[in-house]
Every structure is written in C-alpha cells, then in structure tokens.
C-alpha cells in the first residue's frame, strides 16, 4: 500500500502560494506550502513529501540550488519546476539536474495537478523498484 500523495508547494509569492494550496486541497491533495528554499529542506526531513512544486526564482536559495539539495538528500522526491521567468538554459539545467518537469507561469491548475499526479506515479515506481 502506498502513502497518500503529499505535495509541497514552494513560492515566494504569498498570494499565489495560498491560492494554489487552496485549489490543491479542494482536489484532495495533502498539501503544505513554504516560501523559502531553506524551509523546503527542513520540511523534507520532517514530512514525507513525494512531490515538490518549486519556484525557480526566489530570494536566498534559488530553485536550482534547492533542486540540487533535494536530489542529493532525497533523490526519489519528484520536483516540478514552476517559474514565471523561464529561459532555455534554466529549463535545460533543471531537467539535467533531475527535475520531473518544467512549467511556465501562468499555468493552468488542471495541468499542474496532472503533472503532480504523473510525478507521484514516478515516485511510486521508484519505491517499488527499491522494494519498499
């Protein structure tokens, strides 16, 4: 039996974060949110998130730095990058760094939830392959 889908939303835009979390909760997701990269790393240690939706441009640690930290500590956690400031180099760096997907704001919430569900399926497969 697999754990329920737990997603962590990370964005420094508080209004977007609150709105996205509300929409995800209404659709039955177990959601937490935070506004900084450092908070992500703390929350990953205390809660078992399978998917992180991560803003790329944040003060302090950038999304790419957070992605590297997540993948070094918890390589099975799937990360969906969500940004309003995209360029091809960023997308390539994130995908090479282990991101599951790279989406550009504004994004349709239905599409975002579909990508989170797909990322969760990859997480479940990684757990099955590890035998846990």
């Amino acid at each position: 039996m697999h754990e329920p889908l737990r997603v962590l939303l990370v964005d420094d835009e508080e209004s977007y974060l609150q709105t996205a979390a509300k929409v995800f909760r209404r659709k039955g997701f177990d959601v937490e949110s935070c506004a900084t990269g450092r908070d992500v790393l703390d929350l990953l240690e205390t809660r078992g998130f399978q998917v992180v939706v991560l803003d790329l441009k944040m003060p302090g640690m950038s999304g790419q730095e957070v992605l590297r930290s997540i993948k070094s500590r918890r390589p099975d956690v799937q990360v969906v990058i969500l940004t309003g400031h995209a360029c091809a180099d960023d997308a390539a760096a994130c995908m090479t760094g282990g991101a599951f997907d790279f989406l550009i704001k504004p994004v349709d919430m239905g599409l975002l939830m579909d990508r989170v569900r797909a990322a969760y399926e990859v997480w479940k497969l990684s757990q099955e392959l590890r035998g846990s």
Side-chain angles (χ1 to χ4, degrees), residues 71-90:
K71 288 301 183 176
S72 70
R73 295 173 187 208
R74 302 275 308 278
D76 56 326
V77 171
Q78 300 301 306
V79 180
V80 175
I81 301 292
L82 183 60
T83 185
H85 309 281
C87 74
D89 289 343
D90 287 340

Side-chain angles (χ1 to χ4, degrees), residues 56 63-64 67 81 89-102:
L56 191 60
Q64 286 187 31
L67 173 63
I81 301 292
D89 289 343
D90 287 340
C94 290
M95 297 307 289
T96 302
F100 175 79
D101 207 344
F102 188 95

